[in-house]
Amino acid sequence: MNIISFIIGIVIVVSSIVAIEAKRLLTSIVMLSLTSLLAVVSFVLLKAPDVAITEASVGAGLTTAIFLLTLKRLGKEESK
Amino acid sequence: MKKFIAALIAFLFFIMFISVLNSDTETLQGIPEFGKVDLSERVSEKYISKSVNGDNGEIIYGETKDAESGSANVVTSIVVNYRSFDTLGEVTVLFLSATGVAILIGGGRRKVLPISVNPIVRISARIVATLLLVFGAYIFIHGHLTPGGGFPGGTIIAAGMLLMLLVDDKKRAPKALKVLEGTMGFVYVAVGIAGLLVTGSFLQNFLPTGTVGDLLSAGIIPVVYSIIGLKVGAELSGLLDDFFAEEGEE
């Protein structure tokens, strides 16, 4: 259990840094989604299912979709 | 150089927070040492035993009747019973952001997606979307018994809407959603005012709380969570629909 949460914590930190430093916005969005997804696992390990459900539906699901839709819209505006 | 300075500032803040949290002086009290806190004097103990006014009896699932909150899920009893006014503020924040999106990019025709969707995918997506709608409703109706509640339930409903918007080029969110959203916001405040009239406090529970663990228990918590679930679902579906609209005349 301890090793699993340790690995998850490290991957969360690394993917957050990649999300900030990545040149392409698409990479940032995918990394942010990965961060949320791993946060869900760590919330379940910490026995907080309420927060885990909210993070899974809002953080990993809808926010990623909205970011992708915004990115698509921005790309169209910039290329004009 | 910039990154070095940023790292230095972050490190300084880290040192500052650690020192403030570990300080133990008269004027500046940080986190107390582990094991030195009397938890029975903390407010969380009162939330868990569902009794803010003293009388810390044991709560047994399926047996305890007429508890102060009556919700089997402690998180829900805090979020929608003891801290319901906060939740009203959260719903307002979400409403304001959805309105902002609608002002900036809303209206206009439905955007035609550059991909063509296979009919098999389209029909099975409709089946999955229906299941998602039912699951979202299940989550917010059972918010006082199982993990979850109004916000996740509404978001899952919006995910079903997103699936339907993605596979169908002509699909729009129904106009009735906007009416539903406004009505639910009004009903939430009306429930609060009803509590004010009956018991004397805004959003106070005024229904019988029943047995802990029953579906019809916990007073106004299922009512308020159903209101929040419908409102958040309608709001986020409308927001996604705005993203699928093209600029120009309708």
Side-chain angles (χ1 to χ4, degrees):
Chain A
M1 185 71 88
N2 253 334
I3 299 171
I4 294 175
S5 31
F6 190 70
I7 294 170
I8 287 172
I10 287 180
V11 179
I12 285 180
V13 170
V14 169
S15 62
S16 312
I17 292 173
V18 173
I20 296 169
E21 295 291 331
K23 289 279 178 288
R24 290 180 69 201
L25 281 174
L26 190 63
T27 318
S28 292
I29 293 169
V30 173
M31 282 298 150
L32 206 62
S33 181
L34 177 68
T35 309
S36 306
L37 213 62
L38 289 170
V40 172
V41 180
S42 63
F43 284 142
V44 171
L45 289 179
L46 290 168
K47 300 201 168 65
D50 280 272
V51 193
I53 287 182
T54 312
E55 180 75 31
S57 60
V58 178
L62 206 65
T63 311
T64 312
I66 285 179
F67 275 160
L68 285 173
L69 289 167
T70 315
L71 185 66
K72 196 160 168 286
R73 209 165 243 273
L74 283 176
K76 209 174 92 185
E77 303 271 315
E78 276 170 1
S79 63
K80 262 179 194 172
Chain B
M1 193 62 200
K2 250 184 192 170
K3 275 184 185 174
F4 178 72
I5 294 173
L8 197 71
I9 290 172
F11 186 69
L12 280 177
F13 267 105
F14 179 73
I15 297 276
M16 205 171 87
F17 283 130
I18 289 291
S19 59
V20 166
L21 287 177
N22 279 333
S23 63
D24 196 19
T25 53
E26 287 282 316
T27 50
L28 200 65
Q29 276 196 331
I31 294 177
E33 219 173 303
F34 182 74
K36 285 202 170 175
V37 183
D38 193 6
L39 275 180
S40 63
E41 288 172 5
R42 293 294 167 112
V43 74
S44 56
E45 176 76 17
K46 296 184 165 144
Y47 287 154
I48 290 169
S49 63
K50 301 192 198 309
S51 169
V52 178
N53 305 316
D55 183 31
N56 289 332
E58 199 181 353
I59 300 284
I60 303 163
Y61 183 85
E63 286 180 24
T64 308
K65 281 194 175 119
D66 299 327
E68 194 176 75
S69 162
S71 158
N73 185 356
V74 180
V75 179
T76 307
S77 82
I78 293 169
V79 168
V80 191
N81 200 335
Y82 297 119
R83 292 273 178 271
S84 197
F85 196 60
D86 279 13
T87 310
L88 184 60
E90 279 169 26
V91 171
T92 315
V93 168
L94 196 63
F95 172 71
L96 280 179
S97 44
T99 315
V101 171
I103 288 171
L104 280 174
I105 61 171
R109 267 175 296 132
R110 174 71 162 83
K111 193 192 286 178
V112 181
L113 296 176
I115 46 165
S116 67
V117 179
N118 193 313
I120 299 171
V121 176
R122 187 175 301 155
I123 289 166
S124 35
R126 276 182 194 156
I127 297 170
V128 174
T130 318
L131 290 175
L132 276 175
L133 294 188
V134 175
F135 183 58
Y138 165 80
I139 280 196
F140 70 67
I141 288 171
H142 288 74
H144 58 299
L145 301 176
T146 52
F151 286 95
T155 318
I156 290 169
I157 289 177
M161 192 71 207
L162 174 67
L163 199 58
M164 286 200 271
L165 285 168
L166 275 176
V167 294
D168 198 341
D169 265 349
K170 295 186 179 65
K171 183 81 188 166
R172 295 302 304 260
K175 298 264 183 210
L177 283 183
K178 292 212 186 329
V179 181
L180 181 73
E181 178 191 330
T183 319
M184 284 304 145
F186 174 75
V187 173
Y188 192 179
V189 179
V191 168
I193 290 175
L196 182 66
L197 291 177
V198 176
T199 63
S201 297
F202 189 64
L203 281 167
Q204 174 110 8
N205 186 14
F206 58 91
L207 294 173
T209 50
T211 312
V212 174
D214 279 0
L215 181 59
L216 286 176
S217 67
I220 62 168
I221 289 179
V223 179
V224 168
Y225 250 170
S226 304
I227 291 167
I228 294 173
L230 288 173
K231 184 169 164 60
V232 171
E235 226 154 41
L236 293 178
S237 304
L239 190 145
L240 288 169
D241 180 66
D242 289 336
F243 273 99
F244 280 91
E246 220 164 8
E247 282 182 25
E249 291 295 308
E250 197 157 327

